[in-house]
């Protein structure tokens, strides 16, 4: 089995723990603050460790990727989660692989395959079985935010694949640039919109610490490293492991029940994830051209989200 694929799959599994950590450890009604504290401290620490800043055009490219993959994605994700039942938000996130299929066709010139489209539909269907309930209430702004956040992450994933990384720059500083850019975007919005809690307990600090280190710094380092080495769509389908993990963790740790239809949904979503790893067509057109001289070559890919 591909070791890079396995290590990259750790990221959505870790992301699947976010709901439990947020509901059990963090203060109420501070979604944007949680997003900012996930991104900015982790980015600044990684910058201090790597001591490497962008150069030339990578200043604006890192800002764009940080905005798409971190800033906008985190803000829309938490906004949608605040206005929608968790199940509805998870289904919107499960559309990420399908969006990545379309964006890969537009930006990477990779023709969508029936396997990729079928796997994406299986993923959405499976996640729907797992998380949707008959009494789920819909909110238009929440739905739009969820779709916009998923589209932002899908666009960031595909652009990360298209642009590659600067020569000599590893995944760790590349992750630091994006987390810092996204965190700098989120922090002032969170302070203005929500402000700081009246008090932070040890439990709150433990929750924020876990999200910033394991849930963000480690997880995004593995994610961006995987994007560089694997097909963009293959990485996108791994994101389906996040709601699967959340459902299983809720059953194991939070005494939530799993009905037969949910078990069926877990199997279907997992099938969509595995089907999404099957090789697709060789790349054609623009994607087949040589990468720019300032970026490292990227592997062929087959076709964001968190």
């Amino acid at each position: 089995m591909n070791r890079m694929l396995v290590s990259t799959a750790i990221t959505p599994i870790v992301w699947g723990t976010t709901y439990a950590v947020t509901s059990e450890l963090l203060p109420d009604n501070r979604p944007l603050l949680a997003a900012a504290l996930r991104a900015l401290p982790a980015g600044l620490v990684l910058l201090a460790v790597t001591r490497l800043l962008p150069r030339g055009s990578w200043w604006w490219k890192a800002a764009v990727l940080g905005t798409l993959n971190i800033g906008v994605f985190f803000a829309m994700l938490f906004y949608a989660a605040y206005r929608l039942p968790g199940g509805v938000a998870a289904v919107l996130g499960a559309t990420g692989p399908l969006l990545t299929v379309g964006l890969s066709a537009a930006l990477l010139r990779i023709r969508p395959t029936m396997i990729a489209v079928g796997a994406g539909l299986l993923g959405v269907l499976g996640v729907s079985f797992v998380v949707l309930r008959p009494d789920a209430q819909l909110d238009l702004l929440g739905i739009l935010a969820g779709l916009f956040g998923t589209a932002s992450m899908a666009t960031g994933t595909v652009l990360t694949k298209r642009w590659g990384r600067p020569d000599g720059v590893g995944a760790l500083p590349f992750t630091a640039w994006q987390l810092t850019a996204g965190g700098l975007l989120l922090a002032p919005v969170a302070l203005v919109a929500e402000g700081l809690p009246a008090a932070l307990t040890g439990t709150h600090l433990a929750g924020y610490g876990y999200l910033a280190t394991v849930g963000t710094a480690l997880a995004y380092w593995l994610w961006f490293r995987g994007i560089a080495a694997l097909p963009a769509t293959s990485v996108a389908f791994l994101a389906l492991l996040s709601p699967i993990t959340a459902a299983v963790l809720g059953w194991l740790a939070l005494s939530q029940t799993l009905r037969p239809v949910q078990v069926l949904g877990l199997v279907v979503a997992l099938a969509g994830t595995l089907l999404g790893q099957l090789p697709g067509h060789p790349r054609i057109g623009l994607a087949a051209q040589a990468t720019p001289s300032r970026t490292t070559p990227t592997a062929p890919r087959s076709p964001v989200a968190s």
Side-chain angles (χ1 to χ4, degrees):
M1 182 176 291
N2 189 317
R3 292 184 179 180
M4 183 61 71
L5 185 66
V6 172
S7 66
T8 306
I10 293 173
T11 292
I13 291 174
V14 169
W15 286 342
T17 67
T18 300
Y19 173 77
V21 171
T22 301
S23 63
E24 299 298 314
L25 301 181
L26 299 188
D28 296 332
N29 300 323
R30 292 292 191 281
L32 291 177
L33 180 64
L37 290 179
R38 280 188 68 180
L40 189 55
L44 293 176
V45 168
L46 291 182
L47 274 182
V49 170
T50 58
R51 302 177 66 181
L52 186 63
L53 294 175
R55 294 183 179 179
S57 64
W58 273 100
W59 279 104
W60 69 264
K61 287 182 179 179
V64 169
L65 294 179
T67 298
L68 292 171
N69 288 322
I70 308 297
V72 172
F73 173 64
F74 276 14
M76 294 297 100
L77 173 72
F78 281 107
Y79 183 80
Y82 186 69
R83 298 186 68 99
L84 295 171
V88 177
V91 172
L92 295 175
T95 63
L98 286 173
L99 292 173
T100 307
V101 170
L103 289 168
S104 292
L107 299 179
L108 302 178
R109 303 286 178 86
I110 297 183
R111 186 177 305 159
T113 67
M114 292 302 297
I115 290 178
V117 174
L121 293 174
L122 271 181
V124 175
L125 180 64
V127 171
S128 299
F129 284 168
V130 173
V131 298
L132 281 185
R133 297 184 180 275
D135 58 348
Q137 297 181 352
L138 302 182
D139 176 271
L140 179 59
L141 291 179
I143 291 174
L144 292 175
L147 289 174
F148 189 72
T150 301
S152 178
M153 182 66 168
T155 304
T157 297
V158 174
L159 283 180
T160 300
K161 191 66 180 177
R162 177 180 173 124
W163 288 342
R165 291 198 304 261
D167 291 329
V169 174
L172 202 60
F174 191 65
T175 303
W177 298 349
Q178 296 189 55
L179 288 176
T180 303
L184 289 174
L185 176 66
L186 285 165
V189 177
L191 290 175
V192 170
E194 298 175 353
L196 296 174
L200 289 175
T201 67
T203 300
H204 296 156
L205 293 175
Y208 285 129
Y210 171 82
L211 290 178
T213 55
V214 178
T216 302
L218 174 62
Y220 272 94
W221 169 64
L222 292 173
W223 189 250
F224 292 134
R225 190 182 66 158
I227 290 175
L230 298 169
T233 50
S234 177
V235 175
F237 277 103
L238 291 177
L240 294 174
L241 294 174
S242 183
I244 293 175
T245 301
V248 173
L249 184 62
W251 173 57
L252 292 175
L254 302 179
S255 300
Q256 297 173 356
T257 58
L258 280 179
R259 297 166 296 159
V261 69
Q262 290 178 294
V263 175
L264 174 62
L266 291 174
V267 174
V268 172
L270 185 59
T273 303
L274 296 176
L275 189 61
Q277 307 310 313
L278 295 180
H281 294 302
R283 59 169 134 179
I284 58 175
L286 179 61
Q289 298 176 7
T291 54
S293 60
R294 292 184 60 82
T295 59
T296 54
T298 54
R301 47 245 188 217
S302 67
V304 110
S306 97

